[in-house]
Amino acid sequence: MAYVALSEAEKTYILHGVEDDFRCDGRSRRDYRPMELETGLVSNASGSARLRLANTDILVGVKTEIDVPNPLTPEFGKLEFFVDCSANATPEFEGRGGSDLAQELVLSLQNAYESPLAFDYRTLCLIPGQQCWKLYIDILILECGGNLHDAVSLAAKAALFNTKLPRVTATLLDAGITDLIISDNPYDCTRIGIETVPLLVTVCKIGDYCLVDPSAEEEVCSTVSVVVSVSMRNGKAFLSGTHLTGGGAMHRDTMRNCLQLGLSIGEHLNHLLTKMLNLEQERVGPKRPQTVGFLK
């Protein structure tokens, strides 16, 4: 997170606001800041999305290539994350200052997507044991205003929704060799199902209370946070992973309350994100051009 210098009086003011369920920007402990989401911004990527959560700005691009499946999971495709912290986001990111944060975000996303229940890797398999899709999810942090885990996971899920995979057909050649034919028609493509793709919800503990979507100032006042990975299956939310950030400790009752709050907020976020992405696709989605004349 970005370092913000706060005096003891400012920390006390933030703490009292959390206790009264009236935070500095007028939100309650369960409210998120205003969010803006755009998809399809990077023309040379298979899918892209840009998310702005108050002062946090994230750009995600997805690139695809055909690779060989892992011998241990011959029916699974591959997914790889890369996070880059722009030096313009905060002065602490200059040089290699953002490498530790980038590695932490990569590990959080890898753990969230690791379970087959959270992401169906079988949909990326072309020929079991021979060919599969490999997705490179490149994440660029343009501005850091707090709550990076949630913003990165939201942008990554939107970019996966926007990703178009060319349709691939397999033909059997001599000597049992399989050849892949990739369609060059931009409208002949398939989409990635994102129903089970997880979202990360950061539940921050300040004083004796838990809150979501902490700002950069609120993160300074917290000693420990729980990052909850929430996935959906058959319309119901479930936890696909959790981990702690910060150097503090947490009582088991507080941990239970944090998990319940994260699960509830994650389910609500998943429904809203899916609804808005479907509406955007209907509004600006590509339409197949109508053929005329002898081409019909």
Side-chain angles (χ1 to χ4, degrees), residues 242-281:
T242 60
H243 70 275
L244 293 176
T245 61
M250 187 175 291
H251 192 270
R252 62 182 181 182
D253 292 336
T254 305
M255 173 69 75
R256 187 181 301 111
N257 295 333
C258 289
L259 295 179
Q260 292 175 350
L261 176 60
L263 184 63
S264 173
I265 296 298
E267 181 178 9
H268 186 59
L269 278 178
N270 267 297
H271 286 308
L272 288 179
L273 179 62
T274 303
K275 179 181 177 181
M276 296 308 298
L277 289 174
N278 288 330
L279 289 176
E280 183 181 11
Q281 183 181 15

Side-chain angles (χ1 to χ4, degrees), residues 88 93 131-132 205 264 276 294:
N88 295 327
F93 289 170
Q131 303 288 339
C132 70
K205 181 178 180 293
S264 173
M276 296 308 298
F294 67 92

Side-chain angles (χ1 to χ4, degrees), residues 153-222:
S153 68
L154 284 164
K157 185 167 184 174
L160 286 173
F161 177 85
N162 184 247
T163 299
K164 305 175 185 65
L165 298 176
R167 191 172 301 278
V168 178
T169 55
T171 58
L172 187 62
L173 304 179
D174 296 337
I177 300 176
T178 305
D179 186 28
L180 298 181
I181 301 176
I182 302 177
S183 174
D184 56 358
N185 185 352
Y187 299 97
D188 188 16
C189 58
T190 59
R191 296 273 188 166
I192 299 175
I194 65 165
E195 179 186 2
T196 60
V197 172
L199 289 180
L200 300 180
V201 179
T202 302
V203 183
C204 185
K205 181 178 180 293
I206 298 180
D208 297 329
Y209 297 91
C210 300
L211 54 88
V212 297
D213 187 25
S215 63
E217 293 77 15
E218 289 170 339
E219 288 180 341
V220 175
C221 299
S222 173

